[in-house]
């Protein structure tokens, strides 16, 4: 009798808990529901990381690979896209303050960011590698080659590039240059020797500075990383974005956007 009573109590408690959770789930709309109801997807972007994102300060218009991808996502959701300017040093703060629903524009997957939100399915395999003047490619093949007194390493502030440089460079000089849109010109002009950044960016900047700057073994970067879209913590939103990415990669639309910016 006592055992039966105990079992009944446990079952009743479980049923009550499930009912409570179900009621709560019905009352609390998901982030995905909110976006659709609002009619707007808020996308955080730094606007300083070509070819992923670039903000023309004269027109206040964004352009780039992830701008086109954001517009594709907005179309799939059936909503308009609102680009919210941010910056690498305050990206985390703006994300936590719910300034946007998703951060796009060459965002790397990190554990610190994962603690605050969800990442979509990765869109690109990456890794840090140098870019330098073409005549100096042979000088900067390894981290020990780079980490020598007299070598001038330039970084943009607040992101994974600066973090990687400070973690691996002890003897070379590290200088912080605030304008990431023209930072590679500093290497071309001889004001810095190299920058270590994502392999995709070194390939892009090599094309933009043809014959002057060269990517150093972008096919074999120093480390491993991935790029993805950083989402506010909502499973429904993540599921939608992942499905959109899956279809985009299968039907050729992702490849078409990629080719426009990277090939």
């Amino acid at each position: 009798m006592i055992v039966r009573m105990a079992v009944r109590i446990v079952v009743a408690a479980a049923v009550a808990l499930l009912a409570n959770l179900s009621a709560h789930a019905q009352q609390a709309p998901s982030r995905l529901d909110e976006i659709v109801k609002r009619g707007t997807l808020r996308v955080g972007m730094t606007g300083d990381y070509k070819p992923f994102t670039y903000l023309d300060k004269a027109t206040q218009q964004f352009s780039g690979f992830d701008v086109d991808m954001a517009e594709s996502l907005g179309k799939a959701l059936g909503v308009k896209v609102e680009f919210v300017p941010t910056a690498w040093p305050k990206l985390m703060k703006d994300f936590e303050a719910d300034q946007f629903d998703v951060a796009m524009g060459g965002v790397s997957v990190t554990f610190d960011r994962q603690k605050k939100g969800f990442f979509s399915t990765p869109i690109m395999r990456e890794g840090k590698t140098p870019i330098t003047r073409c005549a100096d490619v042979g000088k900067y093949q390894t981290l020990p080659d780079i980490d020598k007194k007299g070598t001038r390493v330039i970084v943009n502030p607040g992101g994974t590039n600066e973090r990687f440089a400070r973690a691996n460079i002890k003897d070379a000089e590290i200088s912080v240059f605030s304008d990431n849109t023209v930072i590679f010109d500093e290497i071309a002009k001889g004001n810095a020797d190299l920058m270590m950044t994502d392999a995709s960016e070194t390939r892009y900047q090599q094309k933009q500075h043809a014959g002057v700057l060269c990517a150093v073994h972008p096919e074999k970067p120093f480390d491993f990383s991935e790029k993805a879209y950083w989402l506010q913590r909502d499973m429904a939103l993540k599921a939608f974005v992942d499905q959109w990415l899956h279809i985009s990669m299968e039907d050729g639309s992702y490849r078409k956007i990629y080719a426009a910016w990277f090939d």
Side-chain angles (χ1 to χ4, degrees):
M1 179 67 74
I2 295 176
V3 173
R4 287 183 182 176
M5 184 65 72
V7 171
R8 288 175 181 172
I9 292 172
V10 171
V11 171
V15 170
L17 177 60
L18 288 173
N20 184 51
L21 290 174
S22 178
H24 179 73
Q26 292 175 2
Q27 292 172 3
S30 69
R31 171 75 58 147
L32 178 62
D33 293 332
E34 292 176 3
I35 292 168
V36 172
K37 183 177 180 180
R38 186 198 309 145
T40 304
L41 175 69
R42 301 172 304 156
V43 179
M45 281 199 167
T46 62
D48 66 348
Y49 188 8
K50 295 180 179 179
F52 294 97
T53 173
Y54 174 69
L55 175 62
D56 186 323
K57 295 180 180 178
T59 64
Q60 290 299 299
Q61 295 296 309
F62 282 92
S63 62
F65 169 77
D66 273 338
V67 175
D68 290 350
M69 288 296 288
E71 294 290 358
S72 173
L73 175 57
K75 184 177 180 180
L77 284 164
V79 301
K80 294 181 179 179
V81 177
E82 175 189 349
F83 293 106
V84 181
T86 184
W88 296 112
K90 69 189 191 85
L91 181 63
M92 180 78 76
K93 182 179 179 181
D94 287 349
F95 185 89
E96 290 183 285
D98 196 15
Q99 295 296 307
F100 35 80
D101 304 302
V102 54
M104 302 174 71
V107 178
S108 296
V109 176
T110 69
F111 289 132
D112 286 343
R113 290 168 181 165
Q114 183 73 59
K115 292 175 186 176
K116 305 296 183 181
F118 289 151
F119 276 105
S120 69
T121 300
I123 63 165
M124 203 174 291
R125 184 186 176 103
E126 281 283 18
K128 302 300 181 187
T129 202
I131 181 168
T132 185
R133 290 177 294 278
C134 293
D136 294 335
V137 166
K139 294 170 59 177
Y140 304 122
Q141 291 291 308
T142 68
L143 284 169
D145 289 341
I146 295 168
D147 194 18
K148 295 178 180 178
K149 291 188 181 300
T151 302
R152 299 166 301 164
V153 178
I154 195 167
V155 299
N156 59 306
T160 57
N161 289 339
E162 181 179 11
R163 206 171 308 150
F164 181 84
R166 296 199 182 281
N168 292 279
I169 299 301
K170 306 303 176 186
D171 294 324
E173 174 191 341
I174 297 176
S175 61
V176 178
F177 190 81
S178 60
D179 191 347
N180 200 40
T181 62
V182 294
I183 193 169
F184 298 95
D185 294 339
E186 293 299 296
I187 305 171
K189 292 186 292 188
N191 295 333
D193 295 316
L194 68 114
M195 178 176 178
M196 292 180 289
T197 185
D198 296 319
S200 59
E201 185 174 33
T202 66
R203 289 188 178 101
Y204 176 80
Q205 291 297 336
Q206 177 177 260
K207 290 181 180 180
Q208 303 308 303
H209 298 81
V212 179
L213 299 184
C214 287
V216 181
H217 53 62
E219 72 287 350
K220 293 182 179 179
F222 291 141
D223 67 351
F224 163 78
S225 67
E226 291 177 316
K227 293 199 183 302
Y229 300 137
W230 191 22
L231 309 161
Q232 294 290 348
R233 194 176 287 152
D234 180 80
M235 283 304 300
L237 178 59
K238 173 174 167 51
F240 187 95
V241 172
D242 285 347
Q243 186 63 41
W244 160 73
L245 278 172
H246 172 69
I247 293 173
S248 297
M249 291 178 178
E250 292 297 325
D251 70 8
S253 54
Y254 172 90
R255 178 61 197 169
K256 183 178 180 181
I257 295 174
Y258 183 94
W261 293 99
F262 289 98
D263 290 349

